[in-house]
Amino acid sequence: MTIRIYDHHAFMTYLQFSSVMEPQEKKKIILVKQRLHFAWRSRALQPSTVFCCCRCPCEGTMAHCHTARLLGRFLRLHQNGVRHCSYSASRKNLYINKNTKVICQGFTGKQGTFHSQQALDYGTNLVGGISPGKGGKTHLGLPVFNSVKEAKEQTGASATVIYVPPPFAAAAINEAIDAEMPLVVCITEGIPQQDMVRVKHRLVRQGKTRLVGPNCPGVINPGECKIGIMPGHIHKKGRIGIVSRSGTLTYEAVHQTTQVGLGQSFCVGIGGDPFNGTNFIDCLDVFLKDPHTEGIILIGEIGGNAEEDAAAFLKENNSGPNAKPVVSFIAGLTAPPGRRMGHAGAIIAGGKGGAKEKIAALQSAGVVVSMSPAQLGSTIYKEFEKRKLL
Amino acid sequence: MAAPLAKQAGAVLRDLALRSARLRGGCPAVQLTSRRWLNLQEYQSKKLMADHGVTVQRFFVADSANDALEAAQRLKAKEIVLKAQILAGGRGKGIFNSGLKGGVHLTKDPKTVEQLAKQMIGYNLSTKQTPKDGVTVKKVMVAEALNISRETYFAILMDRACNGPVMVGSPQGGVDIEEVAVTSPELIFKEEIDIFEGIQDRQALQMAKNLGFKGPLQQQAADQIKKLYNLFLKIDATQVEVNPFGETPEGQVVCFDAKINFDDNAEFRQKEIFAMDDKSENEPIENEAAKYDLKYIGLDGNIACFVNGAGLAMATCDIISLNGGKPANFLDLGGGVKEAQVYQAFKLLTADPKERGGEGALCCCQQVVQGRGWQSIGQESPSASVQATQQSCSQCHQMAFLCG
């Protein structure tokens, strides 16, 4: 079998694999320097052609992890999953519940202490925290450990929340990845982008740890487990999954869905940083597979391509008679092109990433886009009425 | 959530707003000055580059006509380019209130340099990107003028889609790269760099080839590319854009101009660079706001916004527009807002002459509920009637108010 590799992404993957390939295997790989979409148009791709890790934006059906896995098998590589493939396996770690044992990094700091107490008051199963040098002590009635590894071994925790200041936060995330924590929620805002690029490089090449954030309000399963800084009591256990890039805007959606009686099954704030651990698609995948989530609210904002990617994902995975209703709001519609107001991630550049384009993309995927953030609850309520889900 | 985030908003807002304003063809809706993430003058950016081994034109900085003469003489260059140092762009076509036309001049005679500098330093230069009255020129750059035989474009940025640093280059430099991307996409070359492996020699060479450098210039360009990448990492830049990345007839590869965007989040470890921040071209109200850690951006409407959270702030502006109004500002209190800040924020808003009426947006702050801010403002601006509707829907009471 001849393997043709297109696209610089594929090339990068080839480089990754080539270091462990046998010489005769290398010969079988033909590097084609055509851009993938030109190749598609020129019909250079044959059914027998295997290609890997292409993320050409022109056609969503081109790049597939199964292809990369084929390549991996051919090259007898099993240890490193192909990026994106193994990391998405950690999506399931987002499912927190009342049994999830949570530890807190930065436990004895001001933020750590305040929010840990809030979590305990809410009923989160917080079992301890980390504060290097203060291991052995007690804080808020819980044990303090010197390291994540120690805390995990001694408490059996499966989630950690990070309230460590920016200069040390990336190291804290790395420590949690080293300890193979299934879920890491990093609340810290202000982590240098370069630090997060390095963390993410590691993150996407493994599948045990799922990171949410940084610079996010956290994850909450109302009534069961609250990991983060969101105000617990506006939430109500219910049927809507909420995913958002913004913190305070999320609380709007939460409040409204509580008021219309639908409640929330699960809320994830993915945060506003350009390099973060979890995106819309990760959460949508979880929501679509969760039987308790009957409707979804997605809150986006100007800048980047996250909403467009989410729309493409929904088109493929949430259509037909059993599609779950999705309602969305995109903040920044009235920010003129070229303006940036707010999150580090919210920036419009060269015509892409504008609210109009995002709204159009989402609408074409069957999402009902509300023009006002004050009508999220009423809009999803109407969708439920239409589908006779009430 | 948005404390340093909205702080960046002002920076980038300006940097990009002018580009969009020019595209729209009309005058910008706001009086803004072109700004980078961090306000570095050209000579500061070039010094930064030179310190990291990047080839830039030899230059000196002068803050008096005398110094300019001395600098020109010291330079011993065949031709000299004199450039007024202001943050805004469009200097070449600007006008001084001394009568001198153009903020960039070429001459072979140091004496001319002195005469021109006399008409620049201490005077205001107005360009398309400055406020009407222009900006006072305090320093000028006296640089060796080099001929450019070929212009290319080269940039390094942190790209979200690739989750890391990406090099972007085009043999078609000197013009708007976005235009090239649309008209001739095959002339845009991208290369991802693995942040742990760093830039590989073959990657730098390949990019040099793609940029059209030939023969010994290829290796020279590749070296410059590597040095630019190292600079990019060392100073925690989010983007380093060199346009033009040029070739001289004498066979030198030179970075003729660069735009560097810095990561504000890295300020704690880039103190030297952030200390160079020149705030003098900001709107005073913004500097005032920054003093109290408030993120304020002036817009062109008359309805004040006062919000906790960047996403919510944007949404607030959206809602105002949806209902036919125009936001006067974007003001993000940030997560850790204190009473004193709320008070200062109110003062800022009420002091702003553009405000006819104000609509406050959601305020997630116990301190505001406690009312100190309200009462003080009430006394100072009797025309402002404050109505507070309290919805206790969270531990930090959310509140919508009208201030009209």
Side-chain angles (χ1 to χ4, degrees):
Chain A
M1 176 164 63
T2 309
I3 298 182
R4 294 168 190 257
I5 300 184
Y6 296 84
D7 185 284
H8 66 275
H9 296 288
F11 183 64
M12 297 305 284
T13 314
Y14 163 68
L15 289 180
Q16 241 182 300
F17 291 162
S18 65
S19 57
V20 293
M21 283 194 308
E22 306 291 298
Q24 54 269 39
E25 283 172 324
K26 273 194 198 166
K27 276 195 217 148
K28 290 183 182 144
I29 306 216
I30 298 174
L31 297 177
V32 180
K33 282 185 184 167
Q34 270 179 299
R35 282 162 65 166
L36 190 60
H37 66 274
F38 288 132
W40 178 253
R41 278 199 220 125
S42 65
R43 304 273 186 266
L45 293 175
Q46 304 296 323
S48 61
T49 308
V50 178
F51 51 90
C52 76
C53 259
C54 330
R55 289 193 351 239
C56 179
C58 84
E59 186 54 66
T61 56
M62 299 287 278
H64 299 294
C65 286
H66 79 267
T67 314
R69 258 183 258 132
L70 260 176
L71 180 64
R73 271 206 294 277
F74 180 79
L75 300 173
R76 287 190 276 116
L77 278 172
H78 297 289
Q79 55 271 55
N80 283 336
V82 176
R83 74 175 187 196
H84 309 296
C85 223
S86 56
Y87 185 53
S88 44
S90 65
R91 279 176 191 162
K92 57 178 174 10
N93 301 348
L94 289 169
Y95 279 113
I96 53 174
N97 57 43
K98 61 181 181 297
N99 300 319
T100 308
K101 291 188 185 157
V102 186
I103 48 177
C104 173
Q105 287 171 260
F107 192 30
T108 55
K110 190 165 142 214
Q111 295 289 314
T113 304
F114 177 76
H115 291 293
S116 295
Q117 188 58 61
Q118 299 270 305
L120 288 168
D121 293 344
Y122 191 75
T124 302
N125 193 7
L126 188 70
V127 296
I130 292 96
S131 195
K134 297 197 179 146
K137 300 205 166 101
T138 309
H139 187 62
L140 303 180
L142 294 168
V144 182
F145 300 96
N146 281 319
S147 70
V148 178
K149 188 158 182 282
E150 205 188 311
K152 183 171 182 250
E153 277 165 7
Q154 308 231 357
T155 62
S158 59
T160 172
V161 60
I162 297 180
Y163 294 103
V164 173
F168 315 106
I173 301 175
N174 275 326
E175 197 192 332
I177 299 176
D178 287 337
E180 294 182 346
M181 280 308 277
L183 180 65
V184 180
V185 181
C186 184
I187 309 297
T188 308
E189 65 177 322
I191 302 182
Q193 284 188 32
Q194 213 185 110
D195 289 2
M196 278 315 299
V197 166
R198 286 173 204 272
V199 167
K200 194 151 184 199
H201 191 276
R202 249 196 102 185
L203 195 69
V204 296
R205 285 160 175 76
Q206 56 82 52
K208 299 233 167 96
T209 303
R210 162 65 41 176
L211 170 69
V212 180
N215 186 18
C216 75
V219 184
I220 180 170
N221 180 339
E224 296 197 37
C225 184
K226 173 172 113 82
I227 302 183
I229 59 172
M230 65 286 280
H233 72 267
I234 58 173
H235 295 75
K236 168 187 145 108
K237 188 68 189 168
R239 307 151 78 176
I240 311 291
I242 301 182
V243 57
S244 166
R245 279 163 73 180
S246 153
T248 44
L249 202 45
T250 319
Y251 310 156
E252 274 304 291
V254 166
H255 187 229
Q256 289 169 33
T257 43
T258 299
Q259 291 208 306
V260 299
L262 286 172
Q264 311 82 37
S265 58
F266 212 75
C267 303
V268 184
I270 61 177
D273 270 11
F275 300 100
N276 56 21
T278 293
N279 58 24
F280 282 133
I281 294 179
D282 292 322
C283 300
L284 290 172
D285 190 35
V286 166
F287 291 159
L288 290 176
K289 292 179 176 146
D290 176 26
H292 302 292
T293 302
E294 298 172 53
I296 298 171
I297 292 184
L298 184 150
I299 300 177
E301 49 191 53
I302 51 173
N305 266 346
E307 291 79 4
E308 287 87 337
D309 292 344
F313 178 82
L314 285 172
K315 233 187 203 158
E316 250 197 68
N317 296 283
N318 192 45
S319 38
N322 294 325
K324 296 189 183 178
V326 183
V327 167
S328 178
F329 172 72
I330 306 295
L333 178 63
T334 53
R339 287 183 173 220
R340 190 183 147 281
M341 294 151 82
H343 288 142
I347 182 169
I348 303 178
K352 280 191 297 186
K356 276 214 186 87
E357 290 88 349
K358 289 172 189 297
I359 291 173
L362 287 165
Q363 282 172 334
S364 75
V367 174
V368 180
V369 180
S370 166
M371 289 302 146
S372 159
Q375 284 158 11
L376 290 166
S378 54
T379 309
I380 195 143
Y381 189 83
K382 275 198 207 104
E383 291 302 304
F384 269 53
E385 265 182 335
K386 263 194 234 166
R387 291 170 171 75
K388 303 206 183 2
L389 290 170
L390 290 171
Chain B
M1 225 25 42
L5 307 175
K7 182 177 149 195
Q8 297 160 349
V12 186
L13 192 135
R14 275 139 191 78
D15 192 23
L16 300 175
L18 272 308
R19 205 192 295 175
S20 75
R22 272 178 286 153
L23 287 173
R24 285 202 304 273
C27 64
V30 223
Q31 308 93 6
L32 297 174
T33 56
S34 168
R35 239 175 79 170
R36 298 150 186 205
W37 288 82
L38 175 61
N39 299 326
L40 284 198
Q41 297 282 3
E42 182 189 2
Y43 72 89
Q44 290 167 317
S45 309
K46 292 218 165 136
K47 175 152 193 309
L48 209 50
M49 289 160 73
D51 287 345
H52 286 81
V54 177
T55 310
V56 295
Q57 294 154 279
R58 288 186 303 124
F59 72 92
F60 294 107
V61 181
D63 51 18
S64 70
N66 226 6
D67 283 351
L69 171 66
E70 256 179 68
Q73 287 165 336
R74 255 192 301 164
L75 211 50
K76 292 200 181 51
K78 275 192 268 182
E79 198 174 7
I80 300 162
V81 59
L82 181 66
K83 293 173 147 184
Q85 296 295 284
I86 61 171
L87 295 172
R91 291 172 293 173
K93 299 205 175 123
I95 305 182
F96 286 91
N97 58 353
S98 60
L100 178 66
K101 290 209 178 119
V104 178
H105 288 268
L106 280 169
T107 173
K108 295 203 164 81
D109 180 12
K111 271 277 159 199
T112 319
V113 170
E114 187 188 10
Q115 282 164 12
L116 289 168
K118 246 194 212 128
Q119 298 174 66
M120 285 189 182
I121 298 174
Y123 292 97
N124 276 17
L125 173 62
S126 337
T127 76
K128 278 199 182 134
Q129 295 178 20
T130 62
K132 279 218 175 87
D133 294 333
V135 175
T136 312
V137 175
K138 298 201 190 91
K139 289 190 159 86
V140 293
M141 177 195 267
V142 181
E144 176 183 24
L146 293 173
N147 288 321
I148 311 181
S149 52
R150 212 171 59 84
E151 294 179 318
T152 74
Y153 171 94
F154 179 71
I156 305 172
L157 60 143
M158 285 298 191
D159 184 32
R160 275 186 274 181
C162 304
N163 287 321
V166 167
M167 296 194 288
V168 181
S170 175
Q172 198 115 289
V175 294
D176 195 348
I177 195 67
E178 280 155 28
E179 229 185 275
V180 176
V182 168
T183 53
S184 337
E186 69 281 0
L187 290 180
I188 307 277
F189 297 92
K190 285 191 195 169
E191 177 78 15
E192 274 181 59
I193 300 175
D194 183 304
I195 189 130
F196 287 109
E197 283 175 16
I199 187 167
Q200 305 294 301
D201 287 340
R202 57 169 175 77
Q203 285 178 306
L205 256 176
Q206 184 58 51
M207 181 55 77
K209 276 200 194 113
N210 289 336
L211 293 177
F213 290 100
K214 297 193 163 46
L217 285 173
Q218 232 171 59
Q219 188 57 52
Q220 225 193 100
D223 284 338
Q224 287 295 295
I225 286 170
K226 277 190 270 185
K227 293 202 166 99
L228 282 165
Y229 177 73
N230 292 333
L231 170 73
F232 171 79
L233 284 185
K234 185 110 190 296
I235 60 177
D236 272 304
T238 51
Q239 181 170 282
V240 172
E241 185 186 62
V242 184
N243 195 14
F245 183 48
E247 208 178 286
T248 66
E250 294 84 15
Q252 251 200 314
V253 176
V254 179
C255 296
F256 283 91
D257 197 10
K259 259 203 209 108
I260 306 180
N261 290 356
F262 296 89
D263 181 8
D264 274 3
N265 287 347
E267 187 173 346
F268 67 87
R269 62 185 187 205
Q270 298 287 351
K271 293 207 163 74
E272 266 178 37
I273 293 181
F274 279 79
M276 293 198 278
D277 193 4
D278 185 345
K279 296 197 168 70
S280 60
E281 285 178 48
N282 287 3
E283 284 182 45
I285 196 169
E286 268 185 45
N287 286 339
E288 192 67 26
K291 261 205 286 191
Y292 302 104
D293 230 0
L294 298 167
K295 290 76 196 177
Y296 175 95
I297 297 160
L299 300 172
D300 61 345
N302 62 355
I303 298 181
C305 290
F306 185 85
V307 189
N308 175 270
L312 194 54
M314 276 195 281
T316 305
C317 293
D318 291 345
I319 266 191
I320 292 174
S321 301
L322 199 66
N323 289 291
K326 271 188 161 194
N329 69 282
F330 168 96
L331 174 57
D332 177 15
L333 297 172
V337 61
K338 304 246 181 335
E339 222 182 289
Q341 283 173 301
V342 171
Y343 175 65
Q344 291 301 337
F346 262 114
K347 280 191 82 175
L348 271 174
L349 293 183
T350 49
D352 192 335
K354 287 194 302 259
E355 323 246 305
R356 297 282 168 267
E359 178 199 319
L362 295 166
C363 201
C364 203
C365 176
Q366 195 100 11
Q367 279 84 3
V368 179
V369 174
Q370 264 147 25
R372 190 204 148 206
W374 302 117
Q375 287 153 358
S376 315
I377 291 297
Q379 280 154 16
E380 292 186 19
S381 22
S383 61
S385 70
V386 175
Q387 247 178 22
T389 315
Q390 197 173 334
Q391 294 169 290
S392 66
C393 67
S394 75
Q395 283 148 338
C396 32
H397 302 279
Q398 282 197 336
M399 198 169 66
F401 62 89
L402 282 169
C403 181

